[in-house]
Amino acid sequence: MKWFKRILALLLVVAVGAAALLATSYYLIRRTPSWYRPQAMNSQEMEAAANRAFNKVAAIHNMADESAALESSSQWSRDHGQSPASRPSVQPITVTFTQDELTAFILRWSTLNSDRVETYISGPQFALRDGQIIFGGQISELGQFGALHVEPSLDDAGLLHLDIAEIRAGQLRVPRSLVESRLTKVRATLQQWLPEWQRTAKIDAGGANNEAVKAAMTELLLNTLGEKPSQPFFFMPIGDRKTVPVKLTHVKIADGSITLTVEPLRGADRKTALDSIREPYGTPTAQNQ
């Protein structure tokens, strides 16, 4: 009977260990990290931070708008047999956002769109530390806090990497394998929508159409989920129907802030952007043009 007692003892140890693991996991999953303080700013501070963020975004808008207007004016002159007026080119712009500014900005936006946003998340907040953008909030479907840790970088070829470093439920780190089935469904849905947007995407000196924007942002999300690099192009809305592409050339995260350098997307780069957008997703050159 000794062997039987030993087996029972072993099973008891395993059971106790499993119970301790479950208890620890439950404890961690119900807790929120120390950086998550959605009510840390009062309403006046929140409004001031949101305005600062808006003004910095507006500066990028203005840079993109000025570049598009200058290029369109030059093209009009050439089309009408005139020599374009000599004007200085639009220079890149560097802006720094604090995590409070990003949080205030997203909170203002989510408040204006609460009927849609709160279906998924409430109390959203950003944190910037250890080279990561951390975005978290109360996940409506789960009824608890969740966070995504992303590490942005530009490689030597200028391609943008948005590496998912961690997924957390409370303070518990969630293995990628546990959410892979959901991510697979998201990828499948996006890849169904993508070809039509790619087919009708257009970018010229006047800006990009909605299909180009949707296709580019969908590819960025697919590449992020698939751990692949993307072209560092983004789109700035500067009117009701006008969206101008810009290029990210530098990104740096310090504790509490992120610094970005953005430049206008001109001729050759604009063609590269459109070719990249139209390339069937998954081909070898789609992420590396």
Side-chain angles (χ1 to χ4, degrees):
M1 295 291 291
K2 288 184 179 180
W3 63 271
F4 184 68
K5 291 180 180 179
R6 288 175 181 172
I7 291 176
L8 286 178
L10 179 60
L11 289 174
L12 182 60
V13 169
V14 171
V16 171
L21 177 61
L22 288 173
T24 302
S25 297
Y26 181 80
Y27 173 77
L28 291 174
I29 207 170
R30 304 310 299 178
R31 291 176 61 83
T32 56
S34 59
W35 62 262
Y36 183 66
R37 297 181 297 132
Q39 305 302 323
M41 291 183 283
N42 61 39
S43 59
Q44 187 174 1
E45 292 169 334
M46 187 78 71
E47 184 69 14
N51 287 338
R52 291 196 302 272
F54 180 84
N55 290 337
K56 293 172 184 179
V57 172
I60 300 176
H61 281 210
N62 293 340
M63 181 270 292
D65 194 16
E66 183 183 356
S67 178
L70 180 60
E71 193 165 354
S72 294
S73 175
S74 298
Q75 187 61 51
W76 186 92
S77 297
R78 287 190 290 270
D79 291 344
H80 291 77
Q82 303 174 14
S83 298
S86 178
R87 300 177 186 175
S89 61
V90 177
Q91 297 302 304
I93 184 171
T94 298
V95 294
T96 297
F97 295 92
T98 68
Q99 59 191 24
D100 285 347
E101 289 169 352
L102 293 179
T103 296
F105 190 83
I106 195 67
L107 280 171
R108 175 186 283 182
W109 179 85
S110 63
T111 299
L112 294 173
N113 298 274
S114 59
D115 55 330
R116 289 178 292 170
V117 175
E118 290 183 0
T119 302
Y120 304 99
I121 188 172
S122 61
Q125 184 179 347
F126 282 95
L128 301 166
R129 57 181 61 186
D130 301 325
Q132 297 180 346
I133 301 172
I134 308 171
F135 179 69
Q138 299 297 326
I139 309 302
S140 302
E141 183 178 350
L142 301 178
Q144 66 172 62
F145 174 83
L148 185 66
H149 296 232
V150 177
E151 294 180 353
S153 63
L154 292 166
D155 63 23
D156 292 341
L159 296 175
L160 175 63
H161 296 252
L162 293 175
D163 298 328
I164 299 176
E166 292 182 25
I167 302 171
R168 287 187 177 263
Q171 291 190 3
L172 183 67
R173 186 167 183 168
V174 179
R176 175 76 177 247
S177 58
L178 290 184
V179 297
E180 192 59 40
S181 61
R182 291 193 174 218
L183 297 181
T184 298
K185 291 179 181 179
V186 171
R187 285 194 291 263
T189 300
L190 293 176
Q191 287 182 260
Q192 285 181 338
W193 296 341
L194 185 56
E196 180 61 21
W197 294 336
Q198 290 176 313
R199 186 182 65 81
T200 53
K202 294 180 181 179
I203 302 177
D204 56 29
N209 64 0
N210 287 335
E211 287 73 20
V213 177
K214 288 187 286 189
M217 295 301 97
T218 297
E219 290 176 356
L220 176 63
L221 179 54
L222 284 169
N223 287 336
T224 300
L225 295 177
E227 300 179 308
K228 299 176 182 177
S230 301
Q231 294 288 347
F233 305 136
F234 294 92
F235 298 85
M236 302 303 298
I238 55 175
D240 291 340
R241 297 187 178 181
K242 191 176 180 184
T243 304
V244 176
V246 295
K247 182 178 181 179
L248 179 68
T249 60
H250 174 78
V251 57
K252 181 180 180 181
I253 296 176
D255 283 349
S257 67
I258 181 170
T259 299
L260 310 170
T261 299
V262 179
E263 66 181 31
L265 203 61
R266 303 183 179 91
D269 278 343
R270 194 164 55 241
K271 182 179 183 305
T272 297
L274 184 57
D275 288 345
S276 175
I277 289 169
R278 287 179 171 174
E279 187 80 21
Y281 187 77
T283 57
T285 57
Q287 289 81 42
N288 300 294
Q289 290 183 5

